[in-house]
Amino acid sequence: MVDGKVMVTGGAGYIGSHAVLALLDAGYEVVVVDNLVTGFAWAVDARATLVETAVEDPALAEVMREHRVRAIMHFAGSVVVPESVADPLKYYRNNTAASRTLIESAVAAGVPHFIFSSTAATYGTPERVPVAEGDPTRPINPYGWSKLMTEQMLGDIAAAHPLNYCTLRYFNVAGADPQGRSGQSTVGATHLIKIAVEAATGKREAVGVYGTDFPTRDGTGVRDYIHVTDLAAAHVSALELLMAEPTRSHTLNCGYGRGFSVLEVLDAVDRVTNRRIERRMEQRRAGDPAELVADNRAILAALPWRPERDDLDLIVRDALAWERKLAEMGR
């Protein structure tokens, strides 16, 4: 167990709030840093301390010292691929520049461990599928570049300072806490399963299918969907690895190693809800590769972590349950 607290940036957001739950459930003390621009204060578990500020706040080093922060899990940032193409400056500001300031604060405060929320978008259009950590990183959108730049910074900074890190490259995150404590609550979210369960509960009229001419089995994009609770558990395991091996750093894919097409995901939502969602075929979006599936052998070798919710219908059921709870909450 870390001697001090774990700081979770973006801990009022979707993935960050699940990481907070996983840490608290494992017995860690947690301080959340979130500016609440896209996150929600009510999504932060009451056992955690919430500091409402931005990660680029120069006073954050003092916050780290005050709370005896010994590890950081960094989730804060912008995550919408098409938006990054339209507004790249936002992504280089919110993701790359803000991360640089956060890491500087961590070094100043003597924080020894850092876990970074990265993305499979760093691979761009992979030469092979599934894609492994050592494969070429050639992002095809500013979102992927903004994350890859932060990965590079972490490598350089860890070589110069007493800090080790774990970069976790997420594939497509979906689902919600099985206990109903958190889930994806963002208004206007762009994640497929979130959109689909919104359609299933009447919040949307239809689901757009962006691209039907990809070189995949049914012409729609294929992605590796990982349950957010499994992903959160991977973060706790990664933290424990960093503490056990303080001179080593890691870059690991977070996925299940198999992919589903857009149409297969919508079919799963149909099965779970026993109704058919209307599909609207649209043109491809800028910056979308045809297929992204993780080679997850490295994470399985490095960590004791093992997926517990690797089932598409289960992911959909948990997402649907959260969507219904949001409706009950009037959100």
Side-chain angles (χ1 to χ4, degrees), residues 39-51:
F40 305 92
W42 55 261
V44 179
D45 189 283
R47 294 172 289 172
T49 300
L50 173 61
V51 177

Side-chain angles (χ1 to χ4, degrees), residues 25-331:
D25 291 349
Y28 291 91
E29 293 183 276
V30 177
V31 55
V32 170
V33 170
D34 201 299
N35 61 10
L36 302 182
V37 170
T38 58
F40 305 92
W42 55 261
V44 179
D45 189 283
R47 294 172 289 172
T49 300
L50 173 61
V51 177
E52 187 178 343
T53 190
V55 297
E56 60 268 35
D57 184 346
L60 209 53
E62 186 54 41
V63 174
M64 294 175 190
R65 295 187 190 97
E66 177 187 346
H67 289 276
R68 294 190 310 113
V69 170
R70 302 300 291 163
I72 294 171
M73 290 188 181
H74 179 32
F75 298 93
S78 300
V79 299
V80 182
V81 168
E83 182 188 49
S84 79
V85 176
D87 189 2
L89 284 172
K90 174 181 178 179
Y91 280 70
Y92 293 125
R93 179 182 66 248
N94 290 356
N95 293 353
T96 313
S99 294
R100 180 221 167 269
T101 304
L102 174 67
I103 298 166
E104 183 175 35
S105 294
V107 170
V111 178
H113 310 300
F114 197 102
I115 295 178
F116 176 51
S117 166
S118 192
T119 171
T122 56
Y123 295 115
T125 301
E127 296 176 354
R128 62 173 180 167
V129 176
V131 60
E133 291 85 351
D135 288 350
T137 47
R138 303 190 189 103
I140 59 173
N141 52 62
Y143 169 62
W145 278 114
S146 72
K147 291 288 192 172
L148 186 60
M149 289 177 180
T150 303
E151 290 189 16
Q152 180 66 48
M153 285 193 294
L154 278 169
D156 293 340
I157 292 162
H161 297 278
L163 175 145
N164 70 337
Y165 67 90
C166 185
T167 289
L168 296 176
R169 291 177 177 161
Y170 307 164
F171 284 67
N172 280 45
V173 187
D177 175 55
Q179 298 179 46
R181 296 174 295 176
S182 190
Q184 192 164 14
S185 309
T186 310
V187 177
T190 60
H191 294 73
L192 176 61
I193 291 178
K194 168 70 170 177
I195 291 170
V197 296
E198 285 183 344
T201 54
K203 289 185 179 179
R204 295 176 186 253
E205 292 182 358
V207 176
V209 178
Y210 295 96
T212 57
D213 59 346
F214 288 107
T216 60
R217 51 186 171 266
D218 62 16
T220 64
V222 171
R223 298 291 183 269
D224 187 336
Y225 293 87
I226 180 171
H227 196 291
V228 66
T229 298
D230 277 343
L231 181 62
H235 283 73
V236 177
S237 288
L239 172 59
E240 291 167 353
L241 176 64
L242 292 182
M243 292 187 296
E245 301 177 353
T247 61
R248 293 188 61 194
S249 296
H250 305 266
T251 297
L252 301 170
N253 284 340
C254 291
Y256 290 150
R258 59 187 179 130
F260 295 94
S261 73
V262 173
L263 294 181
E264 287 169 341
V265 169
L266 297 181
D267 287 344
V269 178
D270 288 349
R271 283 195 304 273
V272 170
T273 60
N274 198 29
R275 57 166 292 183
R276 182 168 176 79
I277 297 169
E278 181 181 345
R279 292 119 162 104
R280 291 181 181 167
M281 304 306 172
E282 308 282 357
Q283 296 297 313
R284 294 188 192 187
R285 295 178 299 191
D288 274 353
E291 187 170 7
L292 273 176
V293 177
D295 180 333
N296 66 357
R297 288 176 294 177
I299 193 170
L300 296 176
L303 305 179
W305 172 84
R306 292 296 179 270
E308 295 184 355
R309 305 187 78 77
D310 179 7
D311 180 276
L312 182 59
D313 286 17
L314 177 60
I315 293 172
V316 170
R317 280 198 294 272
D318 286 345
L320 181 65
W322 178 253
E323 204 60 42
R324 288 171 172 162
K325 182 169 183 176
L326 283 177
E328 293 172 0
M329 296 163 62
R331 295 189 166 99

